[in-house]
C-alpha cells in the first residue's frame, strides 16, 4: 500500500517543482508478514521473504521514476536506522529461524540493533545519483542518516545555520 501511495503521489505532484519522498516501509519490522507473492522465495523463511517484499517495493518505486522520466535526475538514498534484529532468546522468531538457515542480516558484524556492537549501528547506505555518483563505487566514510538533511541542503545550495541542526553534509563524499 505504501508503495502504491508513493507512486500515486508522484503522479499528482506539481511536475514543475522538485520533490522529496521519505519512503519508510514497515518491512522488515514486526509483524513479519511477507506477501503471498514473496512467501517461500528466499530459502530462509518468512524474514527473508519479507526482505524480498522490501526489495520489490523499492524496485517498483524506482521503476515508477524511470517510467515518468525522473530517474536520471533524482537522488535515491537507501539505508536503515539500525542493524538487523537477531532475538537470540526467541529461537521461534522469524529472524532467528533465518539465521539458523544461514542468513546473516548484519553480515559479518558482531551482534544486532539492541547492542553497542557494530551489528547494531553500522549499516550500508546506497546512493544512486546518475552523472554525479559513479556506479559501483564504495566509500568507507562514516556518515549517518542524520547527515542526509544537511547534505541535501548543501547540494541544493541552501544555507543552514549549523547551530540549529544535527548532522553534517557528506556531499563531498558523494562527489
Amino acid at each position: 500500500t505504501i508503495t502504491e501511495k508513493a507512486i500515486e503521489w508522484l503522479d499528482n505532484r506539481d511536475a514543475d517543482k522538485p520533490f522529496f519522498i521519505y519512503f519508510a516501509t514497515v518491512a522488515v519490522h514486526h509483524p513479519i508478514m511477507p506477501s503471498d507473492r514473496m512467501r517461500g522465495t528466499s530459502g530462509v523463511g518468512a524474514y527473508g521473504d519479507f526482505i524480498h517484499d522490501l526489495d520489490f517495493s523499492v524496485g517498483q518505486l524506482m521503476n515508477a521514476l524511470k517510467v515518468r522520466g525522473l530517474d536520471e535526475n533524482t537522488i535515491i538514498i537507501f539505508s536503515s536506522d539500525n542493524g538487523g534484529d537477531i532475538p537470540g532468546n526467541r529461537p521461534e522468531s522469524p529472524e532467528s529461524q533465518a539465521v539458523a538457515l544461514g542468513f546473516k542480516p548484519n553480515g559479518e558484524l558482531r551482534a544486532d540493533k539492541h547492542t553497542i556492537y557494530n551489528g547494531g549501528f553500522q549499516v550500508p547506505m546506497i546512493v544512486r545519483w546518475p552523472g554525479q555518483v559513479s556506479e559501483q563505487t564504495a566509500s568507507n566514510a562514516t556518515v549517518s542518516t542524520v547527515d542526509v538533511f544537511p547534505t541535501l541542503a548543501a547540494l541544493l545550495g541552501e544555507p543552514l545555520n549549523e547551530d540549529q541542526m544535527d548532522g553534517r553534509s557528506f556531499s563531498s563524499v558523494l562527489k
Side-chain angles (χ1 to χ4, degrees):
T1 300
I2 193 170
T3 306
E4 292 168 0
K5 293 291 185 184
I7 293 169
E8 180 181 315
W9 183 87
L10 277 174
D11 288 334
N12 293 315
R13 69 181 182 81
D14 183 342
D16 295 327
K17 293 183 180 179
F19 64 92
F20 176 85
I21 296 176
Y22 178 75
F23 184 70
T25 69
V26 294
V28 294
H29 294 88
H30 283 267
I32 305 297
M33 296 175 56
S35 67
D36 290 340
R37 167 187 274 135
M38 295 303 166
R39 196 166 284 119
T41 63
S42 71
V44 294
Y47 188 63
D49 299 346
F50 209 25
I51 292 171
H52 281 189
D53 275 318
L54 172 63
D55 292 345
F56 182 77
S57 288
V58 172
Q60 291 291 102
L61 187 55
M62 290 183 68
N63 186 59
L65 291 169
K66 183 175 183 175
V67 166
R68 287 152 183 82
L70 299 169
D71 62 319
E72 293 300 313
N73 194 27
T74 299
I75 301 170
I76 297 172
I77 301 172
F78 181 88
S79 193
S80 179
D81 57 346
N82 50 249
D85 183 19
I86 308 170
N89 60 343
R90 294 188 330 220
E92 75 287 349
S93 74
E95 300 94 322
S96 294
Q97 291 173 6
V99 169
L101 290 167
F103 182 64
K104 296 181 179 184
N106 299 321
E108 298 300 324
L109 299 176
R110 180 179 179 187
D112 73 342
K113 78 176 195 174
H114 303 288
T115 70
I116 61 170
Y117 301 109
N118 281 357
F121 60 86
Q122 185 175 330
V123 298
M125 177 179 277
I126 301 167
V127 178
R128 182 184 184 278
W129 187 14
Q132 298 294 322
V133 174
S134 300
E135 291 183 20
Q136 299 189 14
T137 58
S139 171
N140 288 324
T142 300
V143 300
S144 173
T145 53
V146 75
D147 299 327
V148 171
F149 176 70
T151 301
L152 294 175
L155 293 173
L156 294 170
E158 294 293 328
L160 293 176
N161 180 343
E162 291 190 16
D163 295 333
Q164 296 177 330
M165 66 171 190
D166 291 327
R168 299 282 182 248
S169 172
F170 59 89
S171 58
S172 62
V173 174
L174 296 176
K175 293 181 175 189

